[in-house]
Each structure stands twice: as structure tokens, then as C-alpha cells.
Amino acid sequence: MVHSVELLFDADTDAAVRQVWNDLAQNGIRSLAGHTSTTNRPHVTLTVAGEMADGVDDALLPLLSRLPLRCVLGAPMLFGVGRSVTLVRLVVPTAELLDLHNEVNRICLPHMTGGPLPHADPGNWTPHVTLARRVPADQLPAALAVPGVTQDIPATAVGLRHWDGNARVEHPIS
């Protein structure tokens, strides 16, 4: 499993993304609406690594002063190739968001075993919110026809959390 540091949204943004999840599910697309764990919430993964030491939570506290951070959930994108893909929404990469990502990376590096996974490195990171995983190619037209998948969503990020995927435990940074 992995550890990650994630950017969390305000109630309005959270509700808007959950509505898209529900709309996809109502159209036969297996979205994140089907993942009913209390820790499943719309988020932007800022960094991810195989392990992170406990001290990372305290080290990240100063970054809370950068929140709230306004952003836009923009164009739909697809990750992966083959018979199924992951459907996401791009979080438009503003200078403020990219700077926050760089700072999270800088702060987390000493706490990571083996460093971040390559797709989380500054310069390789694509900020996004996941809508649906393992979408079969033949369902993509239906998924892209759901209005919330293609209409911009004004968003506000208000929190950070450290997700320990090994223990399946979230640690709010507060």
C-alpha cells in the first residue's frame, strides 16, 4: 500500500463532486459513489510514497496558512490505456497550487522511505480529482455525456490529510 498527502475540499465542492459520482452511477458507470467508506472523499493527491514517517503530519502544519485555496475542476481526462481507464477531472494548475505541491514535496521528502512515486514528483504531477476507476472503453461515451463530467466546477480546497493506506487510516492535518 501507500501513504499520501491530500488536499481536501469545502462542503460545496465536496457535494458537487459527489453529485457527479452519483450521476455517473445512475448512468451505469462504476464511479467512486460505490466506495462507501467514511474516508472516501473527493481530494487531490499532492504526493504519494510507499511509506511516510509519523512526523510528517506536524511538519505539514505550516501549510495550512495557504488555505483556503480557490481552484477550478476543469477538463475531464483519462489515465491508463487498454480495456479500461480511470476518469478524472483536471484541477487547473495555478501558480498557487503548483507552489503548494512543491512545498508539500519538500516537506515530505525527509519523511518518505524511497521518495515519492514518480508521478507525484514536481514536473510530473497532474493535479486531478478521480471520478471513476476501471471504466470500460465502451462506457466512455456515456460517461462523458454526464453534464457534471464536462462542466467546470469552481472549487475551494480547505484542508490537508495524510492517508495511511497500510492501516487504512486518515490523519487530518490540523
Side-chain angles (χ1 to χ4, degrees):
M1 292 301 287
V2 296
H3 286 246
S4 58
V5 174
E6 300 167 350
L7 195 55
L8 302 175
F9 296 109
D10 67 351
D12 289 342
T13 306
D14 188 277
V17 173
R18 287 178 189 275
Q19 184 61 55
V20 176
W21 291 353
N22 290 331
D23 291 347
L24 284 164
Q26 289 173 0
N27 283 278
I29 311 300
R30 190 172 81 175
S31 73
L32 290 184
H35 188 290
T36 58
S37 167
T38 58
T39 59
N40 181 41
R41 67 188 62 178
H43 66 274
V44 179
T45 300
L46 294 168
T47 194
V48 62
E51 295 287 335
M52 279 189 214
D54 290 340
V56 74
D57 298 356
D58 288 338
L60 290 166
L61 282 170
L63 295 183
L64 294 176
S65 67
R66 296 175 177 235
L67 304 176
L69 185 143
R70 300 210 188 287
C71 54
V72 173
L73 307 186
M77 298 187 315
L78 304 174
F79 289 152
V81 294
R83 295 174 21 182
S84 68
V85 296
T86 299
L87 175 63
V88 305
R89 292 290 299 270
L90 174 71
V91 179
V92 177
T94 62
E96 189 176 7
L97 179 61
L98 293 173
D99 187 54
L100 177 65
H101 174 254
N102 284 329
E103 280 300 296
V104 166
N105 184 68
R106 183 188 64 74
I107 289 168
C108 290
L109 273 174
H111 301 276
M112 294 177 170
T113 303
L117 296 182
H119 68 276
D121 269 337
N124 293 323
W125 176 66
T126 303
H128 66 278
V129 174
T130 302
L131 301 178
R133 293 188 177 99
R134 294 180 292 282
V135 178
D138 64 347
Q139 288 188 332
L140 285 175
L144 293 172
V146 172
V149 171
T150 57
Q151 296 169 347
D152 283 358
I153 299 173
T156 304
V158 295
L160 292 170
R161 76 172 176 178
H162 166 202
W163 170 249
D164 177 348
N166 297 324
R168 297 190 180 281
V169 173
E170 68 177 338
H171 303 273
I173 308 299
S174 58

